[in-house]
């Protein structure tokens, strides 16, 4: 049996231990709060990968279940370095989930969850992960409407040595998005154009496509609808993923541009309604609020 157990996969080992405690000699609660085994770490890592995949397609319910089971299972005060690292990674995924659902303010928000993860990565001396969380915190600032603060934080991370070249380019792109929302479109276009070239050099097609979407909105904000349409056409024809989140973002951007021209406003209204329906179906409250804001602004001009 010892040989069979040593050769079993992580899930089988967990099931075996659960069978051992079912006779009542060890309370089930005590088992779940005990120190993790090596196969616990393996299964934990696997579940984080599954949760990230669920989050990418906006399966929020199952992603939350996968992350929550590990955050609740072990007291972080009893974890070793490996366990604390996985706990911090779980917090980042929980923060991503909260952010994508629009939970960005308050004690149970993405901001607070990211802060906990950030402190853990600092304590563990994992600078790259800490810097990535700082980037996520800047995104939350932007979503909360603190556009100037977000742009400044993005700028600090554009050349931060802790981050990868791709993260540098993303930070630069997001400088432009924050400035576009704040009305500084001329500089925003320049910054985002530089980020787009970075993505091209790095051979990152998905980011390159998203950059064109952001540039389209910047040109719309500057009043150049022909350029806005040119860039959004590139984004539409080169979309690398088709997740509900990306569909909503791309359809919202496209609709926003179409609404700016009387000749295409009807198509824009229809597309915006479709984006709102998708956002509502998947529980993306922040995107839904943005869509409603665009719709109300358009109706006030009619």
């Amino acid at each position: 049996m010892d040989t069979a157990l040593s050769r079993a996969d992580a899930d089988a080992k967990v099931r075996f231990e659960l069978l051992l405690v079912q006779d009542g000699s060890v309370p089930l609660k005590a088992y779940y709060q005990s120190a993790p085994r090596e196969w616990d770490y393996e299964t934990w890592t696997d579940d984080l990968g599954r949760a990230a995949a669920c989050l990418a397609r906006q399966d929020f319910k199952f992603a939350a279940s996968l992350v929550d089971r590990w955050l609740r299972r072990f007291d972080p005060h009893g974890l070793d370095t490996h366990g604390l690292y996985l706990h911090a990674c779980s917090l980042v995924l929980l923060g991503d989930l909260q952010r994508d659902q629009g939970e960005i303010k308050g004690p149970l928000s993405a901001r607070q969850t990211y802060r906990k993860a950030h402190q853990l990565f600092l304590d563990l001396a994992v600078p790259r992960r800490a810097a990535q969380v700082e980037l996520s915190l800047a995104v939350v600032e932007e979503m909360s409407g603190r556009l100037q603060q977000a742009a400044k934080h993005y700028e600090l991370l554009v050349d931060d040595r802790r981050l990868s070249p791709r993260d540098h380019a993303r930070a630069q792109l997001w400088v432009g998005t924050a400035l576009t929302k704040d009305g500084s479109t001329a500089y925003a276009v320049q910054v985002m154009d530089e980020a787009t070239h970075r993505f091209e050099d790095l051979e990152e097609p998905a980011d390159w496509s998203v950059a064109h979407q952001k540039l389209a909105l910047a040109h719309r904000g500057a009043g150049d609808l022909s350029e806005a349409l040119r860039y959004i056409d590139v984004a539409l024809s080169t979309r690398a993923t088709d997740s509900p989140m990306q569909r909503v973002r791309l359809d919202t951007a496209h609709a926003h541009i179409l609404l700016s021209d009387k000749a295409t406003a009807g198509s824009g209204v229809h597309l915006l309604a479709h984006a709102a329906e998708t956002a509502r179906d998947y529980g993306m409250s922040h995107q839904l609020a943005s869509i409603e804001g665009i719709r109300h602004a358009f109706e006030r001009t009619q």
Side-chain angles (χ1 to χ4, degrees), residues 8 28 30 36 60 103 118 134 139-141 157 170 204 258 278 283 294-295:
L28 190 60
F60 295 131
E103 299 169 9
H118 183 250
E134 290 168 25
V139 172
V140 171
E141 278 193 319
L157 295 167
R170 293 169 73 202
E204 293 285 355
L258 294 176
T278 304
I294 293 169
R295 185 175 65 82

Side-chain angles (χ1 to χ4, degrees), residues 179-194:
L179 292 176
T180 297
K181 293 176 183 178
D182 200 43
S184 304
T185 53
Y187 181 58
V189 167
Q190 176 186 333
V191 170
M192 286 192 283
D193 190 57
E194 292 174 5

Side-chain angles (χ1 to χ4, degrees), residues 242-288:
D242 197 33
S243 69
M245 179 71 76
Q246 185 53 26
R247 286 204 306 271
V248 167
R249 288 173 174 166
L250 192 52
D251 285 348
T252 302
H254 191 193
H256 203 180
I257 294 166
L258 294 176
L259 289 172
S260 302
D261 187 339
K262 289 183 179 181
T264 58
S267 298
V269 169
H270 177 76
L271 188 57
L272 200 63
H274 178 70
E277 182 179 357
T278 304
R280 193 177 294 109
D281 288 345
Y282 284 89
M284 294 181 277
S285 62
H286 181 78
Q287 279 68 34
L288 186 59

Side-chain angles (χ1 to χ4, degrees), residues 1 25-26 55 66 89 133 151 160 217 225 268 298:
M1 286 185 69
S25 58
V26 181
L55 189 60
L66 287 167
C89 290
V133 178
D160 193 309
L217 289 173
L225 292 183
F298 171 73

Side-chain angles (χ1 to χ4, degrees), residues 78-144:
L79 293 174
D80 60 14
T81 300
H82 190 177
L84 285 172
Y85 177 81
L86 290 174
H87 187 85
C89 290
S90 300
L91 287 173
V92 170
L93 275 174
L94 177 60
D96 292 345
L97 190 152
Q98 292 168 325
R99 180 197 64 201
D100 286 355
Q101 290 185 299
E103 299 169 9
I104 55 177
K105 296 180 181 179
L108 301 176
S109 65
R111 179 184 289 110
Q112 293 301 102
T113 304
Y114 283 142
R115 284 175 176 171
K116 292 176 185 177
H118 183 250
Q119 188 58 56
L120 268 177
F121 284 133
L122 290 177
D123 293 342
L124 293 167
V126 189
R128 180 171 176 268
R129 294 298 185 192
Q132 287 178 324
V133 178
E134 290 168 25
L135 196 54
S136 295
L137 282 166
V139 172
V140 171
E141 278 193 319
E142 180 185 339
M143 291 173 67
S144 301

Side-chain angles (χ1 to χ4, degrees), residues 154 158 167-176 191-192 194-195 198:
Y154 289 142
V158 167
D167 284 331
H168 290 157
R170 293 169 73 202
Q172 187 171 26
L173 178 67
W174 295 341
V175 170
V191 170
M192 286 192 283
E194 292 174 5
R198 279 190 173 192

